[in-house]
């Protein structure tokens, strides 16, 4: 390897790349491959660096696209890589740095080439490029082994079988990235792909038996959050020492090799964002989500989704039913800890949603935990900072809460967990509050944000459904949480009056002018009345089921009793207002008897005495409020673009030109 440093812009003129992509065939046994693969440069760490690399090598890649039908050099490169991977495990055990280094470089080149090939041609054309060999122009070998399938299987084996060491870290990341690239054809289609060559290979044939092992490995990579090896510990030569031992050894293997080039200047290193402190964990999670969201084959369900929805705890000794394929076991405690710690990223929240929604084993385990605050608090923080999150991340966090609140045990236990000094909640200093009250505060804040900003009915519905699920189990509500419940009702009441006034004025205007189209105030009124009724049902559910536990809610009701007056005789709310009206009347009477100018403490004391005195049978029973999350029909229409937007924005070492992307009809965020 040459010791001179050159600019990345020199890559298109590099002799070895020009030979690979040129018109001359290179045999897989040619010493040229040792020369080609003996290069070193710091891995790109930002989209800017990746864009520079792609722009510098695109002409080389396109030249190979043009010449490969005559040369078969892509197939030769892949065969060189495949032959090396057969000895990779032994090389790792023997600490054969050079062999692993060159094998990684082969995979890196393959990944870069594949990305361009997939972007510029159909899967059928790509498959054909894997069959071209060194023969007459455009000939291919139809009876040879399927090289594309063999490469996919090899990547899976590399991910699952090669031990994770400092010297194998980078090649493990590259193998996962290459699998993501293989599946990236979805990015270049507007519609969800329901049949794909790469999907077919992954769901049957020699790749299929590795399903559970691959899913388990990717999950453990996420759990362990292994950081990259420190400088000097990986297989790659470090430029700062002028070459070093490995550089000297490599120079002995090949002469006249590539010149070393750097990205972003010699010695520069982009800052690593917290969520990417482990590239291996990040890439593993993205690949796992891509695999889990592949569409089913016409004749078989997605095996990776089957594996994800059926795995069990390592402490669960019960046998797997024979009807469950691809089953495996994993340490639930370690998985739970990782999920709690990683919720700042969209992909970790999406994984949590997937597991809670689809894997009954993990859902049962999580709901039985006595430290649910470790999981719930990060989810609440996502919702609290709704302005800084994309809408998909907010939806996933909200649906997770909805799924959790379907469980009565969860709804009881969250009011028993007392939290101190929630620093990220800035509206009010909360020195001590229950997890349940904090959850109510954050959900109500999300509703109010939605009312003034996004006005998304779906978000409204799910927020109210979560509150409704919890309402029968409200216990010892914090005074601020009780105030916010009534304040939300006040906001809705004002909005109802405003829309009603607008509708009335509009109706009067329509009598004098028949030509002007009128806003649909009737529809707006119906929507807001639905929300108001839901809020009244939530308040009523708490009063009916746990009145004696919630003096602060009664206090807030009495303080704002005038709000409810207009709804007593409203035909849409008369039934649900009975209990609320009874409670307000009962406690107002007791306060009146106690005299005027009562202190807050004295009012609360009278309320607590009244809670004991109020006969329970005077409150009318209503059906229990229970809402269950139901996934939309054809969920892949939402989840597949969402997952690929995460890959597009979060993948380490991968860059796609935004102008080439077809899947997103708008900005992925």
């Amino acid at each position: 390897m040459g010791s001179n440093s050159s600019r990345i812009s020199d890559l298109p003129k590099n002799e070895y790349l020009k030979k690979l992509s040129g018109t001359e065939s290179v045999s897989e046994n040619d010493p040229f491959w040792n020369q080609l693969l003996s290069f070193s440069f710091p891995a790109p760490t930002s989209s800017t660096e990746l864009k520079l690399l792609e722009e510098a090598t695109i002409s080389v890649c396109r030249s190979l696209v043009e010449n490969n039908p005559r040369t078969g050099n892509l197939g030769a490169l892949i065969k060189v890589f495949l032959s090396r991977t057969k000895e990779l495990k032994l090389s790792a055990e023997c600490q054969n740095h050079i062999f692993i280094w060159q094998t990684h470089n082969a995979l890196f080149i393959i990944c870069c080439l594949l990305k361009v090939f997939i972007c510029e041609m159909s899967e059928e054309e790509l498959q054909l490029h894997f069959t071209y060999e060194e023969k007459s122009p455009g000939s291919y070998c139809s009876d040879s082994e399927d090289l594309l399938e063999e490469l996919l299987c090899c990547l899976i084996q590399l991910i699952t079988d090669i031990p994770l060491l400092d010297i194998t870290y980078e090649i493990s990341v590259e193998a996962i990235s290459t699998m993501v690239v293989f599946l990236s054809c979805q990015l270049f289609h507007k519609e969800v792909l329901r049949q794909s060559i790469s999907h077919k290979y992954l769901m049957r044939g020699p790749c299929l038996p590795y399903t559970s092992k691959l899913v388990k490995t990717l999950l453990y990579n996420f759990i362990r959050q292994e950081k990259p090896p420190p400088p000097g510990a990986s297989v790659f030569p470090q430029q700062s020492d002028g070459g070093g031992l490995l550089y000297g050894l490599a120079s002995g293997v090949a002469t006249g090799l590539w010149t070393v080039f750097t990205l972003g200047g010699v010695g520069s290193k982009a800052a690593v964002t917290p969520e990417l402190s482990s590239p291996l964990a990040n890439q593993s999670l993205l690949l796992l989500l891509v695999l889990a969201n592949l569409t089913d084959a016409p004749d078989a369900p997605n095996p990776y989704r089957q594996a994800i929805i059926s795995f069990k705890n390592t402490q669960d000794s019960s046998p797997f039913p024979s009807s469950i394929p691809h089953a495996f076991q994993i340490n639930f405690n370690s998985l739970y800890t990782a999920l709690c710690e990683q919720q700042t990223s969209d992909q970790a929240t999406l994984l949590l949603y997937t597991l809670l929604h689809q894997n009954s084993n993990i859902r049962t385990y999580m709901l039985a935990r006595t430290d649910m605050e470790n999981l719930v608090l990060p989810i609440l923080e996502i919702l609290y900072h709704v302005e800084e999150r994309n809408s998909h991340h907010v939806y996933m966090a909200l649906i997770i809460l909805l799924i959790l609140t379907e469980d009565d045990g969860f709804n009881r236990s969250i009011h028993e967990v007392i939290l101190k000094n929630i620093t990220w909640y800035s509206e009010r200093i909360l020195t001590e509050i229950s997890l349940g009250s904090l959850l109510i505060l954050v959900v109500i804040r999300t509703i109010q944000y939605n009312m003034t900003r996004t006005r998304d009915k779906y978000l409204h519905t799910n927020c109210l459904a979560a509150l409704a699920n919890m309402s029968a189990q409200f216990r010892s509500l914090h005074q601020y949480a009780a105030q916010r419940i009534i304040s939300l009702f006040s906001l809705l009441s004002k909005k109802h009056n405003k829309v009603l006034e607008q509708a009335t004025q509009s109706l009067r205007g329509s009598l004098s002018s028949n030509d002007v189209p009128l806003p649909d105030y009737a529809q707006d009124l119906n929507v807001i009345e639905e929300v108001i009724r839901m809020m009244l049902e939530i308040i009523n559910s708490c009063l009916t089921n746990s009145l004696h536990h919630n003096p602060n809610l009664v206090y807030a009701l009495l303080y704002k009793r005038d709000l409810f007056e207009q709804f007593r005789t409203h035909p849409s709310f008369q039934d649900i207002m009975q209990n609320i009206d009874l409670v307000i009347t009962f406690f107002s009477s007791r306060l009146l008897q106690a005299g005027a100018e009562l202190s807050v403490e004295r009012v609360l004391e009278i309320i607590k005495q009244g809670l004991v005195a109020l006969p329970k049978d005077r409150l009318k029973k209503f059906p229990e409020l229970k809402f269950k999350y139901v996934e939309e029909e054809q969920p892949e229409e939402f989840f597949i673009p969402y997952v690929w937007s995460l890959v597009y924005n979060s993948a380490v070492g991968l860059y796609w030109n935004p102008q080439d992307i077809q899947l997103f009809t708008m900005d992925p965020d």
Side-chain angles (χ1 to χ4, degrees):
M1 182 181 293
S3 58
N4 295 326
S5 181
S6 66
R7 296 185 303 272
I8 192 172
S9 57
D10 293 336
L11 280 176
K13 296 177 283 187
N14 183 276
E15 292 301 320
Y16 300 100
L17 286 178
K18 287 171 69 176
K19 184 172 181 179
L20 172 67
S21 61
T23 57
E24 177 187 346
S25 295
V26 183
S27 165
E28 59 194 270
N29 299 315
D30 196 302
F32 161 80
W33 299 109
N34 274 341
Q35 299 169 340
L36 173 72
L37 302 179
S38 296
F39 66 87
S40 172
F41 64 92
T45 55
S46 70
S47 58
T48 302
E49 293 175 349
L50 289 162
K51 184 179 180 182
L52 285 172
L53 178 61
E54 173 143 322
E55 288 172 348
T57 56
I58 189 70
S59 61
V60 173
C61 296
R62 286 174 175 166
S63 178
L64 183 62
V65 170
E66 180 181 347
N67 293 320
N68 187 60
R70 292 182 293 277
T71 65
N73 284 348
L74 175 65
L77 171 62
I78 290 169
K79 288 175 182 176
V80 168
F81 169 72
L82 292 174
S83 66
R84 285 172 173 269
T85 56
K86 293 172 183 175
E87 302 174 44
L88 200 56
K89 193 171 183 179
L90 181 61
S91 298
E93 293 170 355
C94 299
Q95 297 283 304
N96 189 335
H97 290 67
I98 294 178
F99 190 88
I100 296 172
W101 168 42
Q102 292 187 334
T103 307
H104 168 273
N105 288 347
L107 184 54
F108 177 80
I109 294 174
I110 290 169
C111 187
C112 290
L113 293 172
L114 279 176
K115 198 154 66 65
V116 176
F117 273 61
I118 289 170
C119 177
E120 301 206 348
M121 64 184 66
S122 68
E123 278 196 296
E124 290 74 21
E125 291 176 290
L126 175 66
Q127 190 176 33
L128 201 56
H129 270 276
F130 274 75
T131 64
Y132 292 133
E133 292 190 346
E134 181 190 356
K135 288 187 177 180
S136 56
S139 66
Y140 61 93
C141 184
S142 58
D143 58 350
S144 65
E145 291 186 9
D146 193 323
L147 199 58
L148 196 158
E149 183 176 49
E150 191 177 349
L151 177 57
L152 267 174
C153 282
C154 176
L155 292 173
I156 293 173
Q157 291 168 356
L158 197 160
I159 294 167
T160 58
D161 295 348
I162 301 301
L164 186 60
L165 309 169
D166 283 349
I167 60 173
T168 61
Y169 188 96
E170 297 295 342
I171 196 169
S172 296
V173 173
E174 201 64 48
I176 294 168
S177 296
T178 307
M179 282 201 68
V180 171
V181 167
F182 254 121
L183 295 163
S184 67
C185 52
Q186 176 64 79
L187 282 171
F188 311 108
H189 291 79
K190 290 183 178 180
E191 305 296 327
V192 168
L193 287 179
R194 301 189 181 277
Q195 291 190 7
S196 164
I197 292 172
S198 54
H199 296 187
K200 181 188 72 175
Y201 286 135
L202 287 170
M203 293 189 188
R204 63 189 68 184
C207 292
L208 186 61
Y210 288 91
T211 296
S212 58
K213 195 172 184 181
L214 177 59
V215 171
K216 184 176 182 178
T217 301
L218 295 175
L219 275 172
Y220 268 126
N221 286 347
F222 167 71
I223 289 169
R224 289 169 180 146
Q225 294 289 317
E226 292 281 357
K227 292 178 171 56
S234 66
V235 299
F236 304 109
Q238 302 299 313
Q239 293 159 280
S240 59
D241 62 4
L245 173 63
L246 183 56
Y247 174 84
L249 290 172
S251 297
V253 174
T255 57
L257 307 185
W258 281 28
T259 55
V260 180
F261 65 89
T262 61
L263 298 172
V266 177
S268 68
K269 184 176 182 181
V272 180
T273 56
E275 63 268 28
L276 299 186
S277 59
S278 173
L280 180 65
N282 183 72
Q283 297 296 84
S284 295
L285 180 51
L286 291 173
L287 177 57
L288 182 65
L289 293 172
V290 169
L291 292 171
N293 286 281
L294 296 177
T295 54
D296 294 335
D299 55 348
N302 176 352
Y304 302 95
R305 188 182 302 119
Q306 285 185 311
I308 287 170
I309 68 176
S310 61
F311 70 82
K312 298 196 306 183
N313 196 351
T314 48
Q315 296 181 350
D316 187 345
S317 58
S318 62
F320 283 103
S322 57
S323 59
I324 299 180
H326 317 299
F328 65 92
Q329 291 178 290
I330 203 165
N331 187 308
F332 277 15
N333 183 60
S334 300
L335 178 58
Y336 179 81
T337 301
L339 286 167
C340 293
E341 292 173 349
Q342 300 300 320
Q343 286 307 305
T344 52
S345 75
D346 281 69
Q347 47 266 42
T349 304
L350 181 53
L351 176 63
L352 175 57
Y353 159 80
T354 302
L355 296 176
L356 271 175
H357 177 50
Q358 299 186 1
N359 189 316
S360 59
N361 299 319
I362 195 77
R363 182 169 61 251
T364 301
Y365 173 84
M366 287 186 177
L367 288 169
R369 294 282 303 206
T370 57
D371 60 348
M372 278 297 288
E373 67 273 17
N374 292 336
L375 186 69
V376 175
L377 281 172
I379 299 300
L380 294 183
E381 199 167 351
I382 293 168
L383 292 174
Y384 186 78
H385 297 294
V386 59
E387 302 93 337
E388 303 166 17
R389 305 291 181 180
N390 68 69
S391 59
H392 289 156
H393 199 183
V394 172
Y395 283 144
M396 289 299 101
L398 190 53
I399 293 169
I400 287 167
L401 286 186
L402 180 55
I403 292 171
L404 292 173
T405 60
E406 291 171 13
D407 183 76
D408 286 338
F410 171 83
N411 294 331
R412 282 191 299 271
S413 65
I414 55 175
H415 292 287
E416 297 167 2
V417 178
I418 304 302
L419 308 168
K420 296 182 183 295
N421 300 317
I422 308 302
T423 54
W424 48 261
Y425 194 95
S426 58
E427 273 85 349
R428 179 164 172 159
I429 297 173
L430 300 174
T431 54
E432 187 172 287
I433 189 171
S434 71
L435 179 60
S437 288
L438 181 64
L439 197 159
I440 292 166
L441 285 175
V442 173
V443 171
I444 287 175
R445 185 179 183 275
T446 306
I447 294 173
Q448 292 179 322
Y449 174 83
N450 186 51
M451 286 176 66
T452 57
R453 305 284 182 86
T454 55
R455 300 183 182 180
D456 187 326
K457 185 180 178 182
Y458 178 80
L459 192 144
H460 253 23
T461 302
N462 283 283
C463 283
L464 290 168
L467 288 176
N469 284 346
M470 293 187 292
S471 59
Q473 308 291 340
F474 284 172
R475 293 289 189 277
S476 304
L477 288 183
H478 191 281
Q479 61 181 20
Y480 186 52
Q483 289 172 19
R484 299 310 295 162
I485 291 172
I486 305 305
S487 294
L488 175 58
F489 184 81
S490 175
L491 186 65
L492 292 167
S493 176
K494 290 175 184 175
K495 192 170 182 62
H496 176 268
N497 293 340
K498 182 179 178 181
V499 173
L500 191 59
E501 183 181 347
Q502 289 172 333
T504 304
Q505 292 176 352
S506 176
L507 188 61
R508 288 172 185 160
S510 68
L511 297 176
S512 59
S513 175
N514 295 323
D515 300 328
V516 181
L518 298 175
D520 191 358
Y521 289 116
Q523 184 178 356
D524 290 347
L525 204 57
N526 285 336
V527 169
I528 198 164
E529 285 185 356
E530 284 179 15
V531 176
I532 286 174
R533 180 170 179 89
M534 190 80 158
M535 279 302 301
L536 288 171
E537 288 179 340
I538 289 167
I539 295 169
N540 180 72
S541 174
C542 176
L543 297 179
T544 306
N545 294 282
S546 53
L547 176 65
H548 55 294
H549 290 297
N550 291 292
N552 285 327
L553 182 62
V554 175
Y555 184 98
L557 272 173
L558 294 173
Y559 191 74
K560 293 283 189 179
R561 71 189 83 177
D562 293 343
L563 277 177
F564 299 89
E565 191 65 33
Q566 63 176 309
F567 300 106
R568 291 176 62 189
T569 56
H570 194 293
S572 299
F573 311 118
Q574 273 183 315
D575 59 333
I576 207 71
M577 276 296 301
Q578 290 180 38
N579 287 338
I580 297 172
D581 192 36
L582 187 151
V583 168
I584 290 174
T585 303
F586 177 83
F587 285 96
S588 295
S589 173
R590 294 180 74 90
L591 290 175
L592 195 61
Q593 293 171 16
E597 298 184 7
L598 301 172
S599 67
V600 172
E601 292 76 15
R602 178 59 181 149
V603 171
L604 278 171
E605 184 183 343
I606 294 169
I607 289 172
K608 289 175 183 177
Q609 292 169 356
L611 292 176
V612 178
L614 178 64
K616 304 292 188 296
D617 56 5
R618 290 184 61 185
L619 295 173
K620 181 182 176 182
K621 289 291 184 182
F622 285 85
E624 185 181 8
L625 291 179
K626 270 300 170 187
F627 293 88
K628 189 175 179 63
Y629 169 67
V630 179
E631 207 167 60
E632 298 284 335
E633 290 185 16
Q634 295 187 311
E636 65 275 7
E637 298 290 343
F638 169 83
F639 284 103
I640 289 177
Y642 180 33
V643 168
W644 279 105
S645 75
L646 298 181
V647 174
Y648 176 80
N649 287 309
S650 309
V652 180
L654 293 175
Y655 168 82
W656 287 275
N657 189 331
Q659 295 178 346
D660 296 329
I661 305 301
Q662 297 291 314
L663 183 59
F664 313 128
T665 55
M666 58 186 69
D667 187 274
D669 265 357

